[in-house]
């Protein structure tokens, strides 16, 4: 705790040029005696700080000196540089910025931060999948800049049918979802989401974007993602599953699975979402050891048909 106070006092001196023990005590919620001891400790540690007596006196840094101390703790510094390693997914600009920041750290932190940069490899590919080299979409920088500056953008966009349109949008935020980037924006037709790799033109204007006071990007994206999931998997089936099979269903269906309560025979009620009855029945066919579909009848009939076909083929 004392180290944190010394860091805070040093930053106060840099910010205010002069401070008193009483001001330090008030801001850090300690006694004036503790504040004076901390200020003396800074001077004894070699920090160029001195006190002036009398009315208008206080503590100052010699010659307005500044330090390279960033205010980061050792664990915070390590966490930052874990994303700056050569094999990390951070952009070159992020890596360059963090490598400059390392020079501003105190010496004891610097060694650990530099070690953290080479201590982690992030391999996003699943076993058996083809390698994919992620690339930032062409207009990502322009759209991010428009979000930050809060200006409208004239947007050219290619929809999923291949039709190109132009419109003026009010950018609200950028979201990375897996390998894809999305722009969340207000339009004349309401709030919309645009895949950045389908943007064909992005021209910022000088007109301010209208951003609702209560807008929160994370909350908005959760709502968008939930709606997309519901549209992609409109069919819901109800089933009962043995307790050991729940972990299997979680692996197989992820967030398409909702686990309910127990039934009278000890099994557990579940709801599973899927694209249609054929695909969902195919996914469930290998899980009959743990799961029994109770509705809708069309999925049960499809499972029975799959079972008959399997028996005929392999009996």
């Amino acid at each position: 705790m004392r180290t944190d106070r010394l860091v805070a006092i040093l930053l106060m001196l840099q910010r205010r040029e002069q401070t008193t023990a009483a001001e330090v005590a008030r801001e850090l919620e300690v006694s004036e005696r503790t504040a004076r001891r901390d200020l003396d400790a800074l001077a004894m540690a070699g920090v160029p700080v001195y006190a002036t007596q009398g009315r208008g006196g206080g503590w100052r840094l010699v010659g307005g000196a500044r330090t390279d101390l960033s205010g980061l703790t050792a664990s915070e510094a390590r966490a930052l540089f874990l994303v700056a390693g050569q094999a990390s997914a951070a952009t070159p600009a992020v890596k360059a910025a963090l490598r400059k920041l390392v020079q501003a750290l105190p010496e004891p932190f610097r060694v650990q931060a530099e070690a953290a940069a080479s201590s982690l490899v992030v391999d996003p590919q699943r076993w058996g999948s083809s390698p994919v080299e992620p690339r930032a979409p062409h207009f990502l920088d322009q759209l991010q800049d428009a979000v930050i500056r809060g200006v409208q953008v004239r947007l050219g966009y290619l929809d999923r049918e291949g039709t190109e349109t132009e419109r003026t949008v009010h950018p609200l935020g950028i979201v990375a979802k897996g390998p894809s980037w999305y722009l969340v924006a207000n339009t004349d037709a309401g709030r919309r989401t645009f895949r950045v790799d389908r943007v064909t033109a992005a021209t910022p204007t000088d007109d301010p974007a209208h951003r609702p006071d209560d807008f929160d990007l994370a909350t908005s994206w959760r709502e968008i993602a939930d709606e997309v999931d519901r549209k992609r998997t409109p069919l819901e089936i109800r089933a009962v599953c043995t307790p050991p099979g729940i972990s299997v269903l979680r692996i197989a269906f992820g967030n398409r699975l909702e686990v309910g309560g127990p039934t009278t025979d000890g099994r557990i009620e579940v709801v599973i979402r899927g694209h249609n009855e054929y695909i969902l029945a195919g996914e469930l066919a290998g899980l009959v050891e743990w799961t029994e579909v109770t509705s809708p009848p069309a999925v049960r009939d499809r499972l029975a048909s799959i079972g008959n076909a399997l028996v005929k083929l392999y009996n």
Side-chain angles (χ1 to χ4, degrees), residues 2-14 19 24 28 34-51 59-62 67 69:
R2 191 184 190 197
T3 301
D4 291 343
R5 291 202 309 272
L6 296 179
V7 170
I9 293 170
L10 187 51
L11 295 177
M12 285 174 62
L13 288 167
Q14 291 184 160
T19 190
V24 170
L28 301 186
T34 297
R36 282 192 291 272
R37 282 204 305 263
D38 288 344
L39 286 160
D40 287 334
L42 281 176
M44 293 176 64
V47 175
V49 61
Y50 69 99
W59 291 81
R60 290 173 174 266
L61 289 171
V62 175
T67 176
L69 186 63

Side-chain angles (χ1 to χ4, degrees), residues 63-275:
R66 299 187 66 83
T67 176
D68 287 335
L69 186 63
S70 68
L72 296 174
T73 65
S75 60
E76 289 169 339
R78 288 196 300 269
L80 276 177
F81 284 89
L82 280 173
V83 304
Q86 292 296 325
S88 79
T91 65
V94 171
K95 292 182 182 180
L98 289 176
R99 296 198 192 292
K100 290 179 182 178
L101 178 60
V102 75
Q103 300 305 318
L105 292 171
E107 185 62 32
F109 293 177
R110 193 180 305 166
V111 174
Q112 295 184 21
E114 289 173 337
S118 60
S119 68
L120 179 69
V121 169
V122 178
D123 184 354
Q125 294 302 127
R126 295 184 179 182
W127 295 111
S129 62
S130 301
V132 177
E133 184 68 28
R135 295 182 179 178
H138 182 60
F139 292 100
L140 180 61
D141 288 343
Q142 292 94 318
L143 294 172
Q144 286 179 315
D145 180 67
V147 171
I148 294 169
R149 293 195 295 120
V151 296
Q152 298 177 37
V153 174
R154 286 193 293 273
L155 195 72
Y157 191 71
L158 200 65
D159 65 20
R160 66 180 60 187
E161 283 76 32
T163 302
E164 187 169 4
T165 58
E166 291 186 1
R167 70 198 81 189
T168 298
V169 303
H170 300 253
L172 300 174
I174 303 288
V175 175
K177 174 71 170 175
S180 300
W181 293 83
Y182 295 86
L183 168 69
V184 180
N186 277 339
T187 72
D188 291 340
R191 190 165 299 169
R192 294 291 185 268
T193 304
F194 304 91
R195 274 186 55 155
V196 179
D197 59 359
R198 291 183 184 163
V199 173
T200 58
T203 306
T205 72
D206 294 327
D207 300 321
H210 301 306
R211 183 186 181 96
D213 293 336
D214 61 349
F215 176 77
D216 179 78
L217 181 60
T219 300
S220 179
W221 180 253
R222 282 196 298 270
E223 295 171 353
I224 292 168
D226 289 344
E227 179 64 22
V228 170
D229 279 342
R230 284 191 292 270
K231 289 181 178 179
R232 287 169 60 90
T233 55
L235 177 64
E236 285 190 352
I237 67 103
R238 297 187 177 276
V240 288
C241 179
T242 61
I246 292 295
S247 60
V248 179
L249 293 187
R250 291 190 191 280
I251 295 172
F253 297 104
N255 62 3
R256 291 190 286 145
L257 171 71
E258 295 179 17
V259 179
T263 62
T264 55
D265 62 2
R267 293 184 291 180
I268 299 171
E269 295 179 335
V270 296
V271 175
I272 301 171
R273 298 196 316 275
H275 184 68

